[in-house]
Amino acid sequence: MVHAVIPENRDQYRDALLQMHRDRKTIFVDRLHWAVPVVDGEFEIDQFDTEQAVYLLALDPRSHRHLGSVRLLPTLHPHLLGDVFPDLCAAGVPRDAGTWEITRLCTTPGLEKAEARAVLGLIATALVEFALLYGVNRYTCVAHLQWLSQLIAVGWDTEPLGAPQQIDGELVGALSINVTPATLQMFRDRSGRRRPILHWIVPEAA
């Protein structure tokens, strides 16, 4: 199950979010050697982990341990593509209420390959469910060329936003990912799951 962590219910996911930031540090800083901020020596938290950020967290149903996650940012607010990599977009950075950015997609260190693939499949379906619930008709993302190729191979309806460029010695590109009800049908047909993947905790204040 994938939990949608929105600003209104974030307090109820405090421990899971700390696990997510700890795992992000292990993956993006320790393994991939990204030059991104680290807080208190163990949490990868950057300038885009703001009040506007939404997180989709795949959690173990028994222990609630973080298994994987992705960060979503509305493009009308500061986001990675618009504020750090705008040159990757040949016709300008997409910014509108129906466009959100995908960043920091990861699975927890130590998962077997099959487990990691299963978690990523859950998150992919949850991304589509979230988009349809929130009126999102496309996602944007920045990634290394190999990961962009994997996105296309999975079957997402993608469009390049510009030619890939060399950044820190690696080819990096930006993509737009179109989301429709047919996208959700495709993922459900592939997985055999018919029930919604996303889980919501109603904020205590409500």
Side-chain angles (χ1 to χ4, degrees):
M1 188 172 290
V2 179
H3 295 246
V5 182
I6 57 177
E8 292 80 6
N9 68 4
R10 191 169 296 173
D11 284 347
Q12 284 129 291
Y13 288 97
R14 196 174 293 117
D15 290 343
L17 289 171
L18 287 175
Q19 293 172 19
M20 176 196 74
H21 287 296
R22 188 180 291 113
D23 285 347
R24 278 175 31 178
K25 190 261 185 184
T26 299
I27 294 165
F28 299 121
V29 178
D30 298 342
R31 293 186 178 178
L32 298 177
H33 306 293
W34 288 9
V36 292
V38 175
V39 176
D40 295 334
E42 60 176 326
F43 304 109
E44 189 271 297
I45 301 174
D46 71 4
Q47 68 267 39
F48 302 112
D49 289 302
T50 64
E51 288 301 314
Q52 286 74 41
V54 168
Y55 303 93
L56 303 185
L57 305 182
L59 302 179
D60 183 280
R62 293 181 293 274
S63 67
H64 297 286
R65 179 172 64 94
H66 172 254
L67 299 176
S69 54
V70 67
R71 180 179 65 189
L72 307 179
L73 294 164
T75 59
L76 290 176
H77 292 274
H79 62 290
L80 188 68
L81 180 59
D83 291 55
V84 180
F85 298 110
D87 292 344
L88 293 176
C89 299
V93 177
R95 293 180 186 269
D96 60 77
T99 301
W100 284 50
E101 180 185 61
I102 298 172
T103 53
R104 295 300 197 269
L105 175 63
C106 68
T107 59
T108 191
L111 289 184
E112 299 290 338
K113 287 186 178 181
E115 290 179 295
R117 282 196 299 270
V119 169
L120 291 174
L122 289 174
I123 292 173
T125 303
L127 279 166
V128 182
E129 291 182 3
F130 179 87
L132 297 178
L133 284 169
Y134 268 73
V136 176
N137 51 49
R138 66 174 169 175
Y139 289 117
T140 58
C141 67
V142 178
H144 296 102
L145 196 59
Q146 180 182 4
W147 191 78
L148 293 175
S149 301
Q150 291 174 357
L151 268 180
I152 297 169
V154 165
W156 289 101
D157 178 13
T158 63
E159 300 173 23
L161 293 172
Q165 298 180 23
Q166 285 277 350
I167 298 177
D168 295 331
E170 295 193 65
L171 275 176
V172 176
L175 275 185
S176 171
I177 303 170
N178 299 314
V179 181
T180 69
T183 313
L184 180 59
Q185 187 65 44
M186 176 189 72
F187 280 108
R188 286 184 171 171
D189 288 345
R190 288 184 175 185
S191 67
R193 298 185 186 92
R194 297 299 169 188
R195 294 184 179 181
I197 297 295
L198 270 183
H199 177 73
W200 303 78
I201 289 181
V202 177
E204 290 179 351

